[in-house]
Amino acid sequence: MWKRRWPEVLIGLLLVLGGCRPQETSPVRPVEVQVAAAADLRYAFETLRERFEAAHPSIRLKISYGSSGQFFTQLRNGAPFDLYFSADADYPRRLIVEGLAVDSSFFLYAVGQLVVWVPADSPLELVSWDELAGPAVRRLALANPRHAPYGRAAVAALQALGLYERVRDRLVQGENVAQAAQFAASGAADAGLIALSLALAPDMQRRGRYRLLPSDTYPSIEQGAVVLRRAAARPEVWTLWRFVQQPEGRAVLRRYGFFIPDSTAQPTERPWTGPPPG
């Protein structure tokens, strides 16, 4: 009888053993870090993202670009960002005062520069600033000065050069400096007052040319970053925080025309609950 039933027993045994095989484990999903970044960082941070994620494959960056002032308002209203890179260092400082960001996480990551950018076929020679008030410029793009640091810098530069009253009726405002650059590149404006970091982007270099505005015509564009208190206990957030301040991160920012201040040294005080950043 056993001989006759042996095939059935063998099949049953194989099924049992097959059911006991260890299940394959699914790959661990990378943790996500949400970053609010000033619009002038768009190209620099895409390069930085590639290098960071290559060095830290377990972390993925989700970066939103926009106006520093608008991000500040969103963060005060509870927007779920972990790190905030502002084109105006005053905004993250104010978040610290309001208890929304970690005090000792603040650092100046860059100083921005302002340029006049024109399309490659523009008749402007960019030899004299008075050209901006000439007939070749019917529309001049800049970021909205109400909430964009580069917009405020652009207005200050135009005033210092004695051009503001002559061109104010020609000004077209983007919500942020990246949109102002888009206006100029698309032909919606004849010239744009934009960040050097955007003018150095490969596409913008192919499509036009630029001239640096004198740095003494506008306030220093000090750009600051901060860790939001809601993310203070997340080690991956501090990993990115450190990376931007380390040589590789700083080299990317320099490549896109940012001046790197000496004050990027890591702070030593750590008044938060959670893992230390070091």
Side-chain angles (χ1 to χ4, degrees):
M1 181 180 70
W2 283 104
K3 290 182 178 180
R4 290 195 302 269
R5 299 190 60 185
W6 174 248
E8 298 176 13
V9 172
L10 179 60
I11 291 172
L13 182 60
L14 291 174
L15 290 174
V16 170
L17 292 175
C20 293
R21 287 181 303 176
Q23 295 183 353
E24 295 182 1
T25 58
S26 58
V28 177
R29 295 181 61 183
V31 293
E32 191 172 83
V33 174
Q34 301 259 8
V35 181
D40 67 317
L41 293 171
R42 178 177 296 275
Y43 298 102
F45 263 35
E46 289 308 307
T47 299
L48 189 143
R49 180 216 299 266
E50 293 177 4
R51 298 189 181 185
F52 176 82
E53 291 183 351
H56 303 280
S58 64
I59 305 174
R60 289 291 177 268
L61 304 184
K62 184 174 181 181
I63 307 176
S64 299
Y65 300 101
S67 160
S68 297
Q70 290 181 338
F71 277 136
F72 173 70
T73 300
Q74 292 171 18
L75 288 165
R76 295 179 77 192
N77 291 326
F81 292 107
D82 303 312
L83 274 148
Y84 173 41
F85 289 85
S86 171
D88 184 341
D90 185 53
Y91 287 133
R93 288 188 178 112
R94 288 166 66 182
L95 290 176
I96 290 172
V97 171
E98 296 183 19
L100 297 174
V102 178
D103 188 353
S104 59
S105 70
F106 174 85
F107 69 99
L108 294 176
Y109 64 87
V111 176
Q113 299 185 73
L114 190 64
V115 306
V116 174
W117 186 95
V118 297
D121 60 356
S122 171
L124 297 179
E125 297 180 0
L126 299 182
V127 174
S128 168
W129 301 119
D130 282 340
E131 293 179 59
L132 295 176
V137 180
R138 294 167 298 171
R139 293 177 297 275
L140 178 61
L142 76 168
N144 189 329
R146 289 183 298 172
H147 48 69
Y150 279 92
R152 292 193 290 273
V155 170
L158 290 172
Q159 291 172 336
L161 295 169
L163 296 172
Y164 184 74
E165 294 301 327
R166 298 165 63 187
V167 302
R168 65 182 307 172
D169 293 338
R170 312 179 192 185
L171 299 179
V172 290
Q173 297 181 3
E175 281 302 301
N176 53 64
V177 71
Q179 190 175 63
Q182 183 181 6
F183 286 165
S186 66
D190 303 296
L193 301 174
I194 68 171
L196 173 60
S197 59
L198 299 178
L200 289 175
D203 184 56
M204 294 293 286
Q205 291 197 73
R206 284 192 299 268
R207 299 172 72 172
R209 48 200 165 83
Y210 67 89
R211 181 184 174 189
L212 279 168
L213 280 156
S215 59
D216 59 358
T217 61
Y218 57 90
S220 178
I221 307 174
E222 292 188 340
Q223 308 197 188
V226 76
V227 172
L228 279 302
R229 190 163 289 279
R230 61 182 297 277
R234 298 183 59 197
E236 59 274 10
V237 173
W238 295 106
T239 300
L240 175 59
W241 180 84
R242 288 192 299 272
F243 185 86
V244 177
Q245 299 177 71
Q246 290 169 345
E248 187 170 6
R250 298 173 75 173
V252 171
L253 293 173
R254 286 195 188 94
R255 172 180 166 185
Y256 284 89
F258 290 105
F259 171 73
I260 309 300
D262 294 334
S263 57
T264 51
Q266 296 182 15
T268 54
E269 297 182 8
R270 302 183 175 95
W272 61 79
T273 301

